[in-house]
């Protein structure tokens, strides 16, 4: 961003030539660096911080390190980093002489990156890191108003100058520094929309995210006002609108959330009451459904009984007619015999006998008074199925008023609920209070999800914990080889799964980051 008389771009904390450094330092940047990351609670800013990186630039001249600087950045995809354009300007101008190193906030490895999109007007750049698997952050698409709390994350150079003991400290994975302030409105600098804020930032914060209290990105820190003559300093962040436009032009997908930020404590407290109301409403609905089903069944039985009685009476009437007709035919045969018409008497008598036999057969085979409704009719007149029964494929829609979202998608999800807690034909849930539960630990993202489905209320809930890499590694090691990944069919397998799930739960912090509540309906 261009300098103004009282505005300074944060030039990536460059500290000029470092003649004593050599290619050995460059190798260290891109080599494993030992670290024992500190465990942190599942708070939103810490979760976002795991996707924040230090961006290091090293200028090489004649096989010597001629310059060294750094800024900040954040992941919008597992291998894509957003930072300021001025942080990587030299790498863009001299790609053969400047190397970009990306240092995650946790773990034990640094990576080499390359610029794949560059916008000097917006002061934004996109870096690709081919080997990294970083947790992406989410952008907030809702309104940001004056007075809203904001948090800056990054690696301020003045902190590094005070604490660094050697050049290696600049390439050691460390948690980013956070500072807090308020949004002070939107401004325009050289035609670019920026957010003015009071969170403390310095050189080195360049390219780091400006967040809302839920850890969603609302801007990219880029500049600050000068503090001449005791003036207060204010930070400028490239606005969310400019960031999203840059990513769209770079054809880079990104996660976005427009749901307002609420505290997890408040949401859990309110949703607990909502759960209780849902159980009461579901119980009332089940009673109404059962009553309606009983009424439908009674109506079906009455209709079937009336139809059976009508058919029975009709059959008995036919038998009576056959009997009367047969008797008249026999009597007619006797009359014909008395008049000497023997041949006609024989035929008439035979017909009468057949009619009488038919009358007896029809009477004996008349419909029974017992009623048996067809299976389809019984199914239509049956109330709600038992909680352990299969419910088939369902479409689950998010309930925003009951959810707390920081990074997850708000799209519909599908759930195929089978008998005895078997979901999607492969995930075994365990029956417990309030429905069926399963702790899901994916291999490719640092998030643990406690999923719960209540067949009574048809409510599907995902409680999500964004955890440090060390905690995720410890949880993944708890998976027992004897515990099957598919739905279990034996008591021993179920016991193994219950033991594993209990151990994982002990590793989870008291509060989650997100709670997504869905209402499910049949997909048929």
């Amino acid at each position: 961003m261009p300098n103004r008389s009282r505005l300074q771009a944060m030039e990536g904390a460059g500290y000029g030539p470092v003649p004593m450094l050599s290619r050995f330092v460059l190798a260290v940047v891109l080599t494993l660096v030992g670290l024992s990351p500190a465990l942190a609670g599942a708070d939103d800013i810490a979760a976002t911080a795991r996707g924040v990186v230090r961006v290091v630039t090293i200028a090489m001249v004649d096989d010597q390190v001629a310059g060294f600087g750094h800024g900040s950045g954040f992941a919008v995809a597992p291998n894509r980093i957003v930072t300021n354009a001025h942080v990587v300007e030299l790498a863009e101008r001299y790609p053969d002489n400047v190397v970009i190193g990306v240092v995650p906030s946790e773990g034990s490895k640094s990576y080499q990156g390359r610029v794949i999109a560059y916008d000097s007007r917006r002061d934004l750049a996109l870096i690709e890191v081919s080997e990294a698997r970083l947790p992406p952050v989410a952008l907030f698409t809702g309104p940001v108003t004056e007075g809203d709390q904001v948090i800056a994350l990054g690696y301020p150079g003045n902190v590094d100058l005070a604490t660094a003991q050697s050049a290696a400290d600049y390439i050691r994975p460390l948690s980013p520094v956070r500072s807090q302030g308020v949004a002070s409105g939107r401004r325009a600098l050289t035609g670019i929309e920026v957010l003015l804020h009071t969170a403390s930032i310095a050189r080195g914060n360049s390219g780091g995210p400006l967040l809302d209290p839920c850890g969603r990105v609302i801007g990219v820190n880029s500049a600050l006002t000068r503090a001449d003559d005791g003036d207060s300093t204010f930070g400028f962040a490239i606005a969310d609108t400019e960031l999203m436009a840059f990513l769209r032009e770079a054809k880079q997908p990104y996660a976005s959330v427009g749901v307002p930020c609420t505290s997890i404590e408040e949401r859990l407290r309110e949703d607990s009451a909502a759960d209780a109301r849902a159980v009461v409403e579901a119980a009332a609905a089940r009673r109404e459904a059962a009553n309606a089903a009983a009424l439908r069944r009674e109506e079906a039985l009455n209709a079937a009984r009336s139809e059976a009685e009508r058919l029975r009476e009709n059959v008995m009437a036919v038998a009576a007619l056959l009997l009367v007709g047969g008797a008249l035919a026999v009597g007619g045969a006797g009359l014909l015999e008395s008049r000497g018409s023997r041949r006609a008497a024989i035929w008439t008598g035979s017909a009468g006998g057949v009619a009488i036999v038919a009358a007896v057969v029809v009477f004996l085979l008349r419909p029974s008074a017992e009623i048996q409704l067809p299976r389809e009719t019984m199914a239509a007149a049956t109330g709600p199925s038992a909680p352990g029964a299969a419910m088939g494929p369902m479409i689950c829609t998010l309930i925003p008023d009951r959810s707390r979202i920081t990074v997850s998608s708000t799209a519909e999800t599908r759930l195929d609920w089978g008998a005895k807690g078997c979901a999607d034909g492969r995930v075994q849930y365990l029956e417990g209070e309030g429905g069926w539960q399963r702790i899901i630990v994916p291999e490719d993202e640092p998030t643990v999800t406690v999923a719960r489905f209540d067949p009574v209320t048809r409510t599907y809930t995902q409680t999500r914990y964004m955890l440090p890499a060390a905690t995720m590694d410890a949880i993944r090691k708890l998976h027992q080889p004897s515990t099957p990944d598919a739905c279990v069919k034996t008591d021993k397998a179920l016991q193994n799964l219950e033991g594993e799930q209990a151990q994982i739960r002990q590793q989870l912090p008291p509060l989650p980051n997100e709670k997504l509540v869905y209402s499910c309906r049949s997909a048929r």
Side-chain angles (χ1 to χ4, degrees):
M1 180 159 303
N3 291 335
R4 298 294 184 88
S5 59
R6 298 190 61 78
L7 180 68
Q8 61 181 2
M10 301 180 294
E11 298 294 343
Y15 302 117
V18 189
M20 298 301 294
L21 297 178
S22 65
R23 282 197 180 274
F24 172 75
V25 176
L26 174 60
V28 174
V29 172
L30 306 174
T31 308
L32 297 181
V33 179
L35 178 68
S36 297
L39 297 181
D43 69 272
D44 302 319
I45 305 305
T48 300
R50 290 164 201 133
V52 176
V53 301
R54 188 195 296 265
V55 180
V56 179
T57 56
I58 302 175
M60 304 295 298
V61 177
D62 296 330
D63 293 335
Q64 296 292 321
V65 175
F68 176 83
H70 82 273
S72 304
F74 56 92
V76 291
N79 65 333
R80 299 286 173 86
I81 308 296
V82 167
T83 188
N84 280 147
H86 71 255
V87 172
V88 294
E89 180 182 1
L90 288 179
E92 173 67 12
R93 292 169 59 186
Y94 308 107
D96 295 333
N97 297 94
V98 180
V99 175
I100 299 174
V102 174
V103 187
S105 61
E106 61 180 10
S108 59
K109 191 174 183 180
S110 302
Y111 305 92
Q112 184 172 347
R114 65 184 183 93
V115 177
I116 60 172
Y118 187 86
D119 189 335
S120 59
R121 188 177 71 87
R122 291 193 177 99
D123 195 19
L124 292 172
L126 187 64
I127 301 172
E128 183 178 66
V129 187
S130 59
E131 298 179 359
R133 295 294 300 174
L134 298 169
V137 304
L139 278 58
F140 180 55
T141 58
V144 180
T145 57
E146 293 187 26
D148 286 352
Q149 181 182 354
V150 297
I151 299 94
L153 286 180
Y155 295 92
N158 50 8
V159 173
D160 290 324
L161 285 174
T163 60
Q165 301 296 316
S166 67
D169 288 334
Y170 290 94
I171 56 171
R172 191 185 309 278
L174 292 171
S175 297
V177 177
R178 70 169 79 180
S179 60
Q180 185 171 309
V182 296
S184 300
R186 293 178 182 263
R187 299 289 190 274
L189 290 176
T190 62
I192 300 300
E193 186 177 19
V194 295
L195 295 176
L196 181 65
H197 64 87
T198 63
S200 297
I201 56 176
R203 293 186 302 162
N205 277 104
S206 290
L210 185 69
L211 311 173
D212 73 354
C214 282
R216 288 88 64 94
V217 176
I218 59 176
V220 184
N221 286 311
S222 180
L224 68 160
T225 58
R226 295 184 183 277
D228 298 338
D229 301 324
D231 292 342
S232 299
T233 59
F234 290 86
F236 288 88
I238 308 300
D240 49 352
T241 52
E242 302 286 356
L243 173 59
M244 288 186 283
F246 168 73
L247 293 174
R248 286 195 297 269
E249 291 172 9
K251 295 181 173 55
Q252 174 59 52
Y254 57 90
S256 63
V257 177
V259 180
C261 181
T262 57
S263 72
I264 187 62
E265 294 88 350
E266 178 184 357
R267 177 56 63 218
L268 292 176
R269 184 171 56 252
E270 292 178 353
D271 198 52
S272 178
D275 270 336
R277 290 194 300 270
V279 170
V280 172
E281 291 170 358
R286 287 181 67 86
R287 287 194 299 271
E288 292 179 3
N291 292 336
L295 181 60
R296 290 194 300 270
R297 186 173 183 277
E298 187 63 27
E299 290 175 348
L301 284 172
N302 290 335
R305 189 177 293 113
S306 298
E307 178 65 19
E309 290 178 355
R310 184 183 65 80
L311 181 60
R312 182 182 175 86
E313 291 174 354
N314 289 340
V315 170
M316 292 178 68
V318 169
L321 289 175
L322 289 173
L323 182 62
V324 171
L328 290 175
V330 171
L335 182 60
L336 290 173
E337 179 69 25
S338 64
R339 293 181 177 178
S341 302
R342 184 172 181 79
R343 185 177 182 84
I346 293 173
W347 281 105
T348 302
S350 299
V354 170
I356 292 173
V357 172
V360 173
V361 172
V362 170
F363 181 79
L364 293 175
L365 296 179
R366 67 190 184 280
S368 171
E370 296 182 0
I371 306 300
Q372 184 66 41
L373 292 177
R375 180 176 299 178
E376 294 77 8
T377 305
M378 286 296 294
T382 301
S385 58
M391 303 179 71
M394 292 181 290
I395 299 175
C396 302
T397 305
L398 187 77
I399 307 175
D401 293 342
R402 292 188 58 186
S403 300
R404 203 262 182 169
I405 306 169
T406 59
V407 298
S408 296
S409 169
T410 59
E412 291 181 335
T413 187
R414 289 181 173 268
L415 180 68
D416 190 348
W417 191 253
K420 298 181 180 179
C422 181
D424 301 322
R426 56 184 176 80
V427 182
Q428 180 64 55
Y429 282 58
L430 301 175
E431 189 173 12
E433 184 178 357
W436 299 75
Q437 295 188 10
R438 175 65 185 262
I439 302 177
I440 300 172
V441 184
E443 289 294 333
D444 56 352
E445 66 173 282
T447 303
V448 172
T449 299
V450 179
R452 187 187 74 170
F453 179 66
D454 187 351
V456 175
T457 61
R458 293 200 174 192
T459 302
Y460 179 57
T461 304
Q462 291 184 346
T463 305
R464 296 167 61 84
Y465 298 80
M466 284 73 167
L467 302 175
T471 305
M472 290 300 305
D473 289 342
I475 288 176
R476 290 189 179 108
K477 290 178 182 177
L478 292 175
H479 182 70
Q480 303 174 11
S482 59
T483 304
D485 294 325
C487 293
V488 301
K489 297 182 179 180
T490 65
D491 292 340
K492 182 174 178 56
L494 192 61
Q495 291 174 0
N496 290 337
L497 179 61
E498 290 173 346
E500 176 189 299
Q501 296 276 290
Q503 293 182 60
I504 294 175
R505 188 174 291 277
Q506 291 177 358
Q507 299 290 322
L508 300 179
L511 294 176
N513 294 95
E514 293 186 320
K515 185 173 184 180
L516 285 66
V517 183
Y518 300 85
S519 176
C520 300
R521 65 186 187 278
S522 175
R524 293 169 178 168

